[in-house]
Amino acid sequence: MQNILAFYYSLHPTEVSHVDDKYFFEYLGSNYVFEPFNRPLTEVDSLYKVNRQMISRNLLVHEIIVNNENNVLTYVNNIPYVLMEIYVNKNARITLADVCHINNNSINIECDNVIKRHDWVVLWETKNDYFEAQINEIGKKYPNLCNYANYYIGLAENAISYVRLAMQLEGEAQSSICHKRINCSDTLFCLYNPLNYVCDYKVRDLAEYVKNAFFCGKDAYDIVITYFKNNYLSYKEALLFYGRLLYPSYFFDLHDDIVNNDLPESKIEGIINKSDEYETFLLEVYMYLSKVYNKYIPAIDWIIKRSYSKASS
C-alpha cells in the first residue's frame, strides 16, 4: 500500500493500518483514510463537488484528495479507491448536536440529480413493490421474516400517503446534505465522510437518527423534544419528519441484511417485539407535534385506536 500512496499521491507514511476495507495512516501531522468507493461511479463527480462546497463552508468534512493524475478515483486491483484527509476525532461518537450542525450548515448546497433523494414517494413505492415480490421467493427460507412483512408494508403505505399529503402543502422544506443512513452509535468519522452523503430534506437525518435511537433502547421521545426546542422546522417539514418516522426503514434494512448478508433470521425479533412500543411512541410524537404547532396534524387512525386500546386493556 505504501508504494501505491507514494506513486499516486506522493505520500510516504511509515505505517498504514488496515481496518475492515479501509487504510488509515498519518503523514506529516495529517491523518488520512484510503477507502473503496462503493457507490455508482456516476456519483463520484457530484460527491466531489459537494465536498468542495462543504469545505468552503468550514465544515469538518473529510477532504477528498485527487491523485497525481488529477482523478478522484484510484484503482487498486480493479477496485476504485478514494483518498481523504480527516479533520475530526474518528472514534468519537456522534451526538444529536453533531447531526444538527452538519444539516443546518449545508442547507441549499448545490447538488446534481444523481445524489438527490427527495422523491420519497417514488422510492418507497418501488421498495414496496420489490419487497412484495421478494416475499414470494424467500417465504420458505425465512418464514418468520415473511410472517410480519405485511405489517411493515402497510406501515410503509401509511408513510407514503402521509408524505404525499405533506408534499401538496405550500411552504418551505429545506434541503441539506444528509446521510444514506445514520445511526445513533455512529462515529464522527462516519458523520463527516462524504462517501456517505446524499442530498435530501434536512429532516431525513433527524428521523433516521430518532428511529435508530428508539430501537437501540434510547429515549427517542426526549431526542425529539430536544430537537424541536433547539431547532425550527416549518409545518411542512414537521409533517415530512413524521412521515419518515412512520416509514419502517429499520425493518427493511435488517431484512436486506438477513437475506443478502446471511444474518440470522432471529435478529428481526428485536424489532418485531418492539412494534407495540413503537406505535405508542408514534402516538406520543403526534400529540407533541400537535401541541407545538397548535395546528391540525394529520393522524394515522389505526395507530391512535390501537395505542388507546392497549392503554385501557
Side-chain angles (χ1 to χ4, degrees):
M1 185 53 63
Q2 276 97 334
N3 291 336
I4 291 169
L5 294 171
F7 180 80
Y8 285 102
Y9 298 97
S10 301
L11 299 176
H12 307 278
T14 55
E15 292 184 12
V16 177
S17 299
H18 189 196
V19 181
D20 296 327
D21 57 352
K22 302 174 181 62
Y23 296 89
F24 295 91
F25 63 94
E26 183 269 338
Y27 183 64
L28 298 180
S30 297
N31 294 298
Y32 298 89
V33 62
F34 190 57
E35 70 170 275
F37 186 78
N38 294 321
R39 295 179 61 159
L41 297 182
T42 53
E43 296 182 359
V44 66
D45 289 338
S46 300
L47 291 171
Y48 181 69
K49 291 175 186 175
V50 164
N51 186 240
R52 302 313 304 172
Q53 291 181 73
M54 294 181 76
I55 290 169
S56 71
R57 295 192 184 193
N58 296 317
L59 287 163
L60 293 176
V61 58
H62 309 342
E63 182 174 1
I64 296 175
I65 309 296
V66 297
N67 62 27
N68 290 336
E69 298 172 351
N70 205 37
N71 294 323
V72 172
L73 299 179
T74 297
Y75 284 82
V76 180
N77 297 325
N78 294 320
I79 298 173
Y81 281 77
V82 176
L83 179 70
M84 295 175 285
E85 185 171 356
I86 304 169
Y87 299 109
V88 295
N89 178 353
K90 68 179 188 295
N91 297 317
R93 297 293 180 183
I94 66 172
T95 65
L96 177 63
D98 294 323
V99 178
C100 294
H101 179 76
I102 198 167
N103 293 157
N104 292 338
N105 287 281
S106 62
I107 289 172
N108 294 331
I109 276 183
E110 184 179 340
C111 296
D112 296 334
N113 287 334
V114 292
I115 61 169
K116 288 182 178 178
R117 299 293 186 271
H118 296 88
D119 201 344
W120 298 355
V121 169
V122 171
L123 292 171
W124 293 352
E125 285 179 335
T126 301
K127 181 70 174 181
N128 260 17
D129 291 343
Y130 166 77
F131 195 63
E132 288 176 327
Q134 193 181 47
I135 287 172
N136 296 325
E137 299 176 7
I138 66 170
K140 290 184 179 179
K141 185 175 182 180
Y142 302 103
N144 198 34
L145 200 62
C146 295
N147 283 341
Y148 293 94
N150 286 335
Y151 171 84
Y152 291 100
I153 290 172
L155 200 54
E157 289 174 348
N158 285 152
I160 290 167
S161 297
Y162 207 93
V163 167
R164 184 182 282 118
L165 175 65
M167 291 308 302
Q168 292 172 356
L169 298 173
E170 297 197 4
E172 188 175 25
Q174 291 181 320
S175 295
S176 72
I177 298 305
C178 298
H179 298 74
K180 295 181 73 175
R181 194 66 81 230
I182 193 166
N183 297 321
C184 64
S185 60
D186 279 345
T187 61
L188 291 181
F189 175 81
C190 297
L191 187 73
Y192 283 103
N193 189 336
L195 304 192
N196 296 331
Y197 290 164
V198 294
C199 183
D200 204 343
Y201 298 116
K202 74 173 185 178
V203 297
R204 175 195 180 106
D205 272 358
L206 170 65
E208 296 301 329
Y209 181 88
V210 168
K211 285 187 286 189
N212 182 256
F214 177 89
F215 286 101
C216 287
K218 300 186 182 297
D219 191 340
Y221 183 65
D222 184 65
I223 293 172
V224 172
I225 293 174
T226 300
Y227 181 89
F228 278 88
K229 283 184 176 179
N230 294 282
N231 297 269
Y232 171 76
L233 291 184
S234 69
Y235 174 66
K236 183 174 183 175
E237 288 173 323
L239 296 191
L240 287 172
F241 164 67
Y242 192 72
R244 194 154 190 115
L245 282 188
L246 287 169
Y247 185 72
S249 52
Y250 48 87
F251 178 83
F252 293 140
D253 288 349
L254 188 52
H255 166 276
D256 289 346
D257 281 340
I258 290 170
V259 173
N260 300 324
N261 300 324
D262 292 327
L263 282 184
E265 187 185 16
S266 59
K267 290 282 186 181
I268 206 69
E269 293 174 6
I271 285 174
I272 293 168
N273 291 339
K274 296 188 77 171
S275 60
D276 286 352
E277 188 180 342
Y278 191 69
E279 289 174 16
T280 301
F281 167 69
L282 288 172
L283 175 61
E284 290 172 342
V285 174
Y286 163 76
M287 305 218 18
Y288 176 74
L289 293 178
S290 298
K291 180 180 177 182
V292 168
Y293 287 87
N294 194 26
K295 195 173 183 179
Y296 172 70
I297 301 292
I300 304 298
D301 290 338
W302 69 266
I303 289 179
I304 293 176
K305 290 177 182 177
R306 278 169 60 116
S307 296
Y308 280 127
S309 175
K310 284 178 286 187
S312 61
S313 62

